[in-house]
Amino acid sequence: MKPLEGLRVLDFAQFLAGPMAALRLADLGAEVIKIERPGVGDLCRSLVISDQKVGSDSLLFHTINRNKASVAADLKNPEDLDRIKTLLSTSDVMIHNFRPGVMERIGLGWDDVRKINPGLVYGAVTGYGTTGPWVKKPGQDLLVQSLSGMTWLSGNRNDPPVPAGFAVLDITCGNHLVQGIMAALLRRERTGQGGLVEVDLMSSAIDMQFELFTAFLNGDGAMSERSAISNANASVGAPYGIYACTDGYIAIAMTPVAKLAELLDCPDLLPFSDPGLAFSKRDEIKGVLRDFLLQDDVGHWLDRLEPADIWCSRVLDWPELIETEGFAALDAIQTVKAPDGTAIRTTRCPIRLDGQVMTSDAGGPALGADTGSYLD
């Protein structure tokens, strides 16, 4: 039995952060019902990435909406709204990511819903919270990354701002919502009362940067300066970074420079053996490593470093990753079926329970496929 079996979740959310949270609850056993607009559905159905579709829907939709049901309802139609309110009375969790004020105007704000179901946990995702001058800004991953300062942490010092190459804030914010929902459900077990759980992309962005941001708040007020060479963390000294070799790249994490000089047989590193120079002379040290490591291949350097328990690794791309024994051992891929029978290989829930991974072959639902089961 999965731990959330018996719980019903209504997922009103679109795109990524909210549906991703609902996906994780589904992975853990909850019954998740997507509430979608008739004829259109979750706008993510039409958000095509990498030119990949399954039937008329984007592959992305099926990636984050597997193992859910779909109910088509027009929330502006009084009859449909009444039926949704009836469904809410039998639910445990509700999730939405509309801008502040939208659900209140519809009649599904927190104060409205708690009267229908006092035990319901109400999860809301926004871009920037519910007050302040940014409330009406679009809560989109790249835009929030750009406002949060995090684009000045990746790339080298002389590079322009560099965003994360995937929707890192949507995923993180979705996980934060799941954490809040689980905490509220535990409280409900003791008190019988539901609760309001609110998360926003900007707060998640700040939380993700807590190490460097705390150093900034307690420092001289200046932005952390990226290394000019092989930057990987703006606050960590050399040799921390990724370096080119003759056949690829090697990553080297926290390692005493003197030890590295010895193992690599690199005398040009010896003048930097004092650990106190690892940050103040960061670029000089990295410059020496950059030039030295280009003399041989990744395997050559790993053979020297790994037996000495140096924190280092080959840098893999996805085609290389999926061919490794380490990846195979994780059992990280599952196959689900779309409504038209198309088999989709995708990721699984990353949580193990009692030593077992949690999978399901149920893919994303066809729009409105389950309306009759829940509203008639």
PDB file of all heavy atoms in Angstrom, residues 321-322 324-334 348-352 355-359:
ATOM      1  N   LEU A 321      25.519   9.001 -19.806  1.00  0.00           N
ATOM      2  CA  LEU A 321      24.956   8.646 -18.502  1.00  0.00           C
ATOM      3  C   LEU A 321      24.146   7.363 -18.567  1.00  0.00           C
ATOM      4  O   LEU A 321      24.309   6.463 -17.731  1.00  0.00           O
ATOM      5  CB  LEU A 321      24.080   9.791 -17.997  1.00  0.00           C
ATOM      6  CG  LEU A 321      23.195   9.487 -16.775  1.00  0.00           C
ATOM      7  CD1 LEU A 321      24.051   9.224 -15.541  1.00  0.00           C
ATOM      8  CD2 LEU A 321      22.198  10.618 -16.539  1.00  0.00           C
ATOM      9  N   ILE A 322      23.241   7.257 -19.552  1.00  0.00           N
ATOM     10  CA  ILE A 322      22.320   6.117 -19.558  1.00  0.00           C
ATOM     11  C   ILE A 322      23.015   4.798 -19.907  1.00  0.00           C
ATOM     12  O   ILE A 322      22.410   3.732 -19.747  1.00  0.00           O
ATOM     13  CB  ILE A 322      21.134   6.361 -20.512  1.00  0.00           C
ATOM     14  CG1 ILE A 322      21.614   6.495 -21.955  1.00  0.00           C
ATOM     15  CG2 ILE A 322      20.335   7.585 -20.077  1.00  0.00           C
ATOM     16  CD1 ILE A 322      20.468   6.583 -22.963  1.00  0.00           C
ATOM     17  N   THR A 324      25.802   3.876 -18.340  1.00  0.00           N
ATOM     18  CA  THR A 324      26.624   3.504 -17.194  1.00  0.00           C
ATOM     19  C   THR A 324      25.916   2.475 -16.310  1.00  0.00           C
ATOM     20  O   THR A 324      24.686   2.441 -16.221  1.00  0.00           O
ATOM     21  CB  THR A 324      26.970   4.729 -16.330  1.00  0.00           C
ATOM     22  OG1 THR A 324      25.764   5.283 -15.781  1.00  0.00           O
ATOM     23  CG2 THR A 324      27.698   5.788 -17.155  1.00  0.00           C
ATOM     24  N   GLU A 325      26.705   1.651 -15.620  1.00  0.00           N
ATOM     25  CA  GLU A 325      26.149   0.698 -14.670  1.00  0.00           C
ATOM     26  C   GLU A 325      25.527   1.416 -13.474  1.00  0.00           C
ATOM     27  O   GLU A 325      24.536   0.941 -12.905  1.00  0.00           O
ATOM     28  CB  GLU A 325      27.247  -0.265 -14.203  1.00  0.00           C
ATOM     29  CG  GLU A 325      27.770  -1.180 -15.295  1.00  0.00           C
ATOM     30  CD  GLU A 325      28.833  -2.140 -14.774  1.00  0.00           C
ATOM     31  OE1 GLU A 325      29.084  -2.141 -13.543  1.00  0.00           O
ATOM     32  OE2 GLU A 325      29.404  -2.880 -15.590  1.00  0.00           O
ATOM     33  N   GLY A 326      26.111   2.550 -13.099  1.00  0.00           N
ATOM     34  CA  GLY A 326      25.569   3.304 -11.977  1.00  0.00           C
ATOM     35  C   GLY A 326      24.148   3.771 -12.254  1.00  0.00           C
ATOM     36  O   GLY A 326      23.278   3.699 -11.379  1.00  0.00           O
ATOM     37  N   PHE A 327      23.895   4.247 -13.475  1.00  0.00           N
ATOM     38  CA  PHE A 327      22.550   4.679 -13.827  1.00  0.00           C
ATOM     39  C   PHE A 327      21.597   3.489 -13.844  1.00  0.00           C
ATOM     40  O   PHE A 327      20.470   3.567 -13.345  1.00  0.00           O
ATOM     41  CB  PHE A 327      22.565   5.371 -15.187  1.00  0.00           C
ATOM     42  CG  PHE A 327      21.218   5.870 -15.627  1.00  0.00           C
ATOM     43  CD1 PHE A 327      20.710   7.053 -15.120  1.00  0.00           C
ATOM     44  CD2 PHE A 327      20.470   5.158 -16.556  1.00  0.00           C
ATOM     45  CE1 PHE A 327      19.462   7.518 -15.513  1.00  0.00           C
ATOM     46  CE2 PHE A 327      19.222   5.617 -16.959  1.00  0.00           C
ATOM     47  CZ  PHE A 327      18.714   6.803 -16.437  1.00  0.00           C
ATOM     48  N   ALA A 328      22.054   2.367 -14.400  1.00  0.00           N
ATOM     49  CA  ALA A 328      21.203   1.176 -14.458  1.00  0.00           C
ATOM     50  C   ALA A 328      20.804   0.721 -13.059  1.00  0.00           C
ATOM     51  O   ALA A 328      19.668   0.282 -12.826  1.00  0.00           O
ATOM     52  CB  ALA A 328      21.925   0.058 -15.202  1.00  0.00           C
ATOM     53  N   ALA A 329      21.716   0.836 -12.107  1.00  0.00           N
ATOM     54  CA  ALA A 329      21.437   0.380 -10.748  1.00  0.00           C
ATOM     55  C   ALA A 329      20.366   1.212 -10.054  1.00  0.00           C
ATOM     56  O   ALA A 329      19.692   0.737  -9.136  1.00  0.00           O
ATOM     57  CB  ALA A 329      22.723   0.411  -9.918  1.00  0.00           C
ATOM     58  N   LEU A 330      20.190   2.459 -10.493  1.00  0.00           N
ATOM     59  CA  LEU A 330      19.192   3.330  -9.872  1.00  0.00           C
ATOM     60  C   LEU A 330      17.767   2.967 -10.262  1.00  0.00           C
ATOM     61  O   LEU A 330      16.819   3.357  -9.585  1.00  0.00           O
ATOM     62  CB  LEU A 330      19.456   4.790 -10.261  1.00  0.00           C
ATOM     63  CG  LEU A 330      20.687   5.443  -9.651  1.00  0.00           C
ATOM     64  CD1 LEU A 330      20.908   6.813 -10.270  1.00  0.00           C
ATOM     65  CD2 LEU A 330      20.544   5.568  -8.144  1.00  0.00           C
ATOM     66  N   ASP A 331      17.596   2.248 -11.382  1.00  0.00           N
ATOM     67  CA  ASP A 331      16.255   1.904 -11.855  1.00  0.00           C
ATOM     68  C   ASP A 331      15.411   3.173 -11.958  1.00  0.00           C
ATOM     69  O   ASP A 331      14.282   3.241 -11.464  1.00  0.00           O
ATOM     70  CB  ASP A 331      15.615   0.884 -10.907  1.00  0.00           C
ATOM     71  CG  ASP A 331      14.349   0.262 -11.487  1.00  0.00           C
ATOM     72  OD1 ASP A 331      14.178   0.317 -12.721  1.00  0.00           O
ATOM     73  OD2 ASP A 331      13.529  -0.250 -10.706  1.00  0.00           O
ATOM     74  N   ALA A 332      15.956   4.192 -12.612  1.00  0.00           N
ATOM     75  CA  ALA A 332      15.374   5.532 -12.585  1.00  0.00           C
ATOM     76  C   ALA A 332      14.323   5.781 -13.656  1.00  0.00           C
ATOM     77  O   ALA A 332      13.677   6.829 -13.648  1.00  0.00           O
ATOM     78  CB  ALA A 332      16.499   6.572 -12.732  1.00  0.00           C
ATOM     79  N   ILE A 333      14.120   4.843 -14.585  1.00  0.00           N
ATOM     80  CA  ILE A 333      13.214   5.057 -15.710  1.00  0.00           C
ATOM     81  C   ILE A 333      12.024   4.116 -15.614  1.00  0.00           C
ATOM     82  O   ILE A 333      12.157   2.947 -15.242  1.00  0.00           O
ATOM     83  CB  ILE A 333      13.946   4.819 -17.045  1.00  0.00           C
ATOM     84  CG1 ILE A 333      15.157   5.761 -17.160  1.00  0.00           C
ATOM     85  CG2 ILE A 333      13.012   5.014 -18.232  1.00  0.00           C
ATOM     86  CD1 ILE A 333      14.810   7.227 -17.104  1.00  0.00           C
ATOM     87  N   GLN A 334      10.842   4.626 -15.948  1.00  0.00           N
ATOM     88  CA  GLN A 334       9.657   3.795 -16.044  1.00  0.00           C
ATOM     89  C   GLN A 334       8.974   4.062 -17.375  1.00  0.00           C
ATOM     90  O   GLN A 334       9.236   5.070 -18.035  1.00  0.00           O
ATOM     91  CB  GLN A 334       8.690   4.063 -14.891  1.00  0.00           C
ATOM     92  CG  GLN A 334       8.099   5.461 -14.875  1.00  0.00           C
ATOM     93  CD  GLN A 334       7.067   5.636 -13.767  1.00  0.00           C
ATOM     94  OE1 GLN A 334       6.446   4.688 -13.324  1.00  0.00           O
ATOM     95  NE2 GLN A 334       6.888   6.873 -13.322  1.00  0.00           N
ATOM     96  N   ARG A 348      10.874   8.317 -12.837  1.00  0.00           N
ATOM     97  CA  ARG A 348       9.989   7.802 -11.793  1.00  0.00           C
ATOM     98  C   ARG A 348      10.077   8.706 -10.572  1.00  0.00           C
ATOM     99  O   ARG A 348      10.917   9.599 -10.500  1.00  0.00           O
ATOM    100  CB  ARG A 348      10.395   6.378 -11.400  1.00  0.00           C
ATOM    101  CG  ARG A 348      11.798   6.275 -10.810  1.00  0.00           C
ATOM    102  CD  ARG A 348      11.999   4.983 -10.028  1.00  0.00           C
ATOM    103  NE  ARG A 348      13.375   4.824  -9.573  1.00  0.00           N
ATOM    104  CZ  ARG A 348      13.886   5.390  -8.485  1.00  0.00           C
ATOM    105  NH1 ARG A 348      13.128   6.189  -7.731  1.00  0.00           N
ATOM    106  NH2 ARG A 348      15.147   5.182  -8.134  1.00  0.00           N
ATOM    107  N   CYS A 349       9.207   8.464  -9.626  1.00  0.00           N
ATOM    108  CA  CYS A 349       9.296   9.150  -8.339  1.00  0.00           C
ATOM    109  C   CYS A 349      10.648   8.847  -7.708  1.00  0.00           C
ATOM    110  O   CYS A 349      11.061   7.676  -7.640  1.00  0.00           O
ATOM    111  CB  CYS A 349       8.168   8.668  -7.420  1.00  0.00           C
ATOM    112  SG  CYS A 349       8.216   9.362  -5.753  1.00  0.00           S
ATOM    113  N   PRO A 350      11.389   9.861  -7.244  1.00  0.00           N
ATOM    114  CA  PRO A 350      12.727   9.606  -6.703  1.00  0.00           C
ATOM    115  C   PRO A 350      12.737   9.057  -5.282  1.00  0.00           C
ATOM    116  O   PRO A 350      13.805   8.782  -4.737  1.00  0.00           O
ATOM    117  CB  PRO A 350      13.377  11.000  -6.743  1.00  0.00           C
ATOM    118  CG  PRO A 350      12.231  11.932  -6.540  1.00  0.00           C
ATOM    119  CD  PRO A 350      11.074  11.309  -7.269  1.00  0.00           C
ATOM    120  N   ILE A 351      11.567   8.890  -4.689  1.00  0.00           N
ATOM    121  CA  ILE A 351      11.472   8.431  -3.292  1.00  0.00           C
ATOM    122  C   ILE A 351      11.304   6.920  -3.267  1.00  0.00           C
ATOM    123  O   ILE A 351      10.529   6.349  -4.042  1.00  0.00           O
ATOM    124  CB  ILE A 351      10.274   9.102  -2.595  1.00  0.00           C
ATOM    125  CG1 ILE A 351      10.414  10.633  -2.640  1.00  0.00           C
ATOM    126  CG2 ILE A 351      10.128   8.619  -1.154  1.00  0.00           C
ATOM    127  CD1 ILE A 351       9.158  11.371  -2.267  1.00  0.00           C
ATOM    128  N   ARG A 352      12.037   6.269  -2.381  1.00  0.00           N
ATOM    129  CA  ARG A 352      11.846   4.839  -2.129  1.00  0.00           C
ATOM    130  C   ARG A 352      11.174   4.675  -0.772  1.00  0.00           C
ATOM    131  O   ARG A 352      11.505   5.370   0.188  1.00  0.00           O
ATOM    132  CB  ARG A 352      13.184   4.084  -2.112  1.00  0.00           C
ATOM    133  CG  ARG A 352      13.928   4.082  -3.445  1.00  0.00           C
ATOM    134  CD  ARG A 352      15.290   3.415  -3.306  1.00  0.00           C
ATOM    135  NE  ARG A 352      16.078   3.520  -4.521  1.00  0.00           N
ATOM    136  CZ  ARG A 352      16.129   2.584  -5.467  1.00  0.00           C
ATOM    137  NH1 ARG A 352      15.440   1.474  -5.310  1.00  0.00           N
ATOM    138  NH2 ARG A 352      16.855   2.758  -6.549  1.00  0.00           N
ATOM    139  N   GLY A 355      12.251   0.183   0.859  1.00  0.00           N
ATOM    140  CA  GLY A 355      13.177  -0.424  -0.082  1.00  0.00           C
ATOM    141  C   GLY A 355      12.652  -0.546  -1.499  1.00  0.00           C
ATOM    142  O   GLY A 355      13.349  -1.076  -2.372  1.00  0.00           O
ATOM    143  N   GLN A 356      11.448  -0.059  -1.757  1.00  0.00           N
ATOM    144  CA  GLN A 356      10.842  -0.221  -3.074  1.00  0.00           C
ATOM    145  C   GLN A 356      10.674   1.127  -3.766  1.00  0.00           C
ATOM    146  O   GLN A 356      10.363   2.140  -3.127  1.00  0.00           O
ATOM    147  CB  GLN A 356       9.457  -0.879  -2.936  1.00  0.00           C
ATOM    148  CG  GLN A 356       9.484  -2.243  -2.281  1.00  0.00           C
ATOM    149  CD  GLN A 356      10.267  -3.264  -3.083  1.00  0.00           C
ATOM    150  OE1 GLN A 356      10.110  -3.348  -4.304  1.00  0.00           O
ATOM    151  NE2 GLN A 356      11.101  -4.044  -2.422  1.00  0.00           N
ATOM    152  N   VAL A 357      10.867   1.114  -5.098  1.00  0.00           N
ATOM    153  CA  VAL A 357      10.539   2.306  -5.884  1.00  0.00           C
ATOM    154  C   VAL A 357       9.043   2.287  -6.162  1.00  0.00           C
ATOM    155  O   VAL A 357       8.398   1.233  -6.121  1.00  0.00           O
ATOM    156  CB  VAL A 357      11.330   2.354  -7.212  1.00  0.00           C
ATOM    157  CG1 VAL A 357      12.812   2.427  -6.942  1.00  0.00           C
ATOM    158  CG2 VAL A 357      10.993   1.154  -8.091  1.00  0.00           C
ATOM    159  N   MET A 358       8.478   3.467  -6.392  1.00  0.00           N
ATOM    160  CA  MET A 358       7.045   3.583  -6.645  1.00  0.00           C
ATOM    161  C   MET A 358       6.826   3.969  -8.098  1.00  0.00           C
ATOM    162  O   MET A 358       7.274   5.026  -8.538  1.00  0.00           O
ATOM    163  CB  MET A 358       6.438   4.615  -5.705  1.00  0.00           C
ATOM    164  CG  MET A 358       6.387   4.132  -4.260  1.00  0.00           C
ATOM    165  SD  MET A 358       5.930   5.427  -3.109  1.00  0.00           S
ATOM    166  CE  MET A 358       7.455   6.367  -3.127  1.00  0.00           C
ATOM    167  N   THR A 359       6.164   3.090  -8.829  1.00  0.00           N
ATOM    168  CA  THR A 359       5.913   3.328 -10.236  1.00  0.00           C
ATOM    169  C   THR A 359       4.445   3.042 -10.562  1.00  0.00           C
ATOM    170  O   THR A 359       3.720   2.420  -9.783  1.00  0.00           O
ATOM    171  CB  THR A 359       6.802   2.447 -11.132  1.00  0.00           C
ATOM    172  OG1 THR A 359       6.517   1.068 -10.857  1.00  0.00           O
ATOM    173  CG2 THR A 359       8.268   2.724 -10.876  1.00  0.00           C
TER     174      THR A 359
END
